[in-house]
Amino acid sequence: MSSPLLVLGPGQRSGSTLLQRLISSHPEAFIWGEQEGHVQRILEGVSRLVEHTEWVGDVAREEFAERGHQGFMANLLPQPVVMSDAFGVFMARIFRKPGTRVWGFKEVRYDQEFCVFLQKFLPGTRVVFVVRDPRDVLSSLDEWERAGWWKPHRTLEAIEHWKRVASSFLETTSVPVLTFRYEDYILDPEGTAQQLGEFASLDPRGFDLSVFGVKVHNLGATWERELRKFDELPPGMRALLEDEGLRTTAKAYDYRL
């Protein structure tokens, strides 16, 4: 594959890191981690630069072709295709690990609109999207709050983000997307490996399924977490899932809230 394989989820505690570890266990693949959305900012900058050279560049390039350095060069820029190709090379230089054939990164901040945007520059872009029951997401974020790692206002933001990103991947676009429910893929490691292999053109036998038996929560932490069930969460936290739009999105993924 000459273009990236993205592992995306609708926010923290979605199960995307486990899929990242599974794909990276394959000798022909590697998925880098999150970048806090910086790739989107770079992509937006490149897009604006391409639009600018399309707007002013043709006249400047015609001027240069006729008069060379004696002409008005103030708006002279490379062809749009040069910039687009350079961005593709830039992405591959950063995210393609030497010796691998399938490369990419995982992120929990991007929706499908970002993927369509990226596809304009990297036509082969593919996405593995993992979604998790928002009740379990809340239970996990609750543990973070109680540990002092997370603030309540961020939990509210996380649930709004879950709704926006998860709903975006219900749409059909030009980007190939393989969607997993976290609850399903952890119950069937071999089936998950088979689907990933077919989607990413990788031999399923190359995946190390032992990653399913090793829980890593944060910076190498492997201890058992003390999670409260959804019914045990504070009423204000449970109320975050009463939003009608969120419930509609959750139902589309077969989560009956």
Side-chain angles (χ1 to χ4, degrees), residues 64-120:
F64 184 75
E66 181 179 341
R67 300 181 60 193
H69 65 273
Q70 299 295 5
F72 186 72
M73 298 177 62
N75 296 319
L76 184 65
L77 289 169
Q79 293 277 359
V81 66
V82 173
M83 295 183 178
S84 297
D85 290 348
F87 176 71
V89 173
F90 168 79
M91 290 290 288
R93 273 300 287 275
I94 292 178
F95 293 111
R96 186 170 189 173
K97 186 177 180 181
T100 61
R101 183 170 52 82
V102 175
W103 58 277
F105 56 82
K106 85 107 166 175
E107 185 55 87
V108 295
R109 295 165 177 84
Y110 299 148
D111 58 14
Q112 186 157 212
E113 182 179 355
F114 165 84
C115 303
V116 174
F117 195 11
L118 182 65
Q119 190 187 48
K120 295 179 180 179

Side-chain angles (χ1 to χ4, degrees), residues 100-245:
T100 61
R101 183 170 52 82
V102 175
W103 58 277
F105 56 82
K106 85 107 166 175
E107 185 55 87
V108 295
R109 295 165 177 84
Y110 299 148
D111 58 14
Q112 186 157 212
E113 182 179 355
F114 165 84
C115 303
V116 174
F117 195 11
L118 182 65
Q119 190 187 48
K120 295 179 180 179
F121 296 90
L122 295 167
T125 297
R126 300 184 183 189
V127 176
V128 179
F129 180 67
V130 55
V131 64
R132 188 180 186 185
D133 191 322
R135 290 168 293 194
D136 292 330
V137 172
L138 269 184
S139 293
S140 190
L141 294 179
D142 167 68
E143 193 265 347
W144 277 8
E145 283 191 23
R146 289 184 288 117
W149 299 342
W150 195 258
K151 300 297 183 181
H153 76 274
R154 296 194 68 186
T155 299
L156 172 61
E157 293 171 355
I159 293 303
E160 287 294 321
H161 182 75
W162 187 99
K163 178 177 69 173
R164 180 180 65 82
V165 175
S167 63
S168 79
F169 278 96
L170 293 172
E171 302 174 7
T172 300
T173 69
S174 57
V175 179
V177 179
L178 173 62
T179 298
F180 284 110
R181 293 193 342 150
Y182 172 78
E183 297 79 10
D184 297 332
Y185 86 72
I186 61 172
L187 294 177
D188 185 14
E190 292 185 358
T192 299
Q194 186 67 38
Q195 291 185 67
L196 279 175
E198 293 175 358
F199 185 72
S201 300
L202 293 167
D203 185 344
R205 295 171 296 182
F207 294 114
D208 181 4
L209 301 186
S210 69
V211 299
F212 286 92
V214 179
K215 296 181 179 181
V216 182
H217 307 304
N218 189 27
L219 295 177
T222 57
W223 61 80
E224 288 295 324
R225 304 174 66 202
E226 296 182 3
L227 299 177
R228 294 192 287 190
K229 295 181 180 180
F230 178 74
D231 292 342
E232 300 172 335
L233 299 180
M237 182 173 283
R238 297 198 306 270
L240 296 178
L241 302 190
E242 294 178 359
D243 177 84
E244 189 61 33

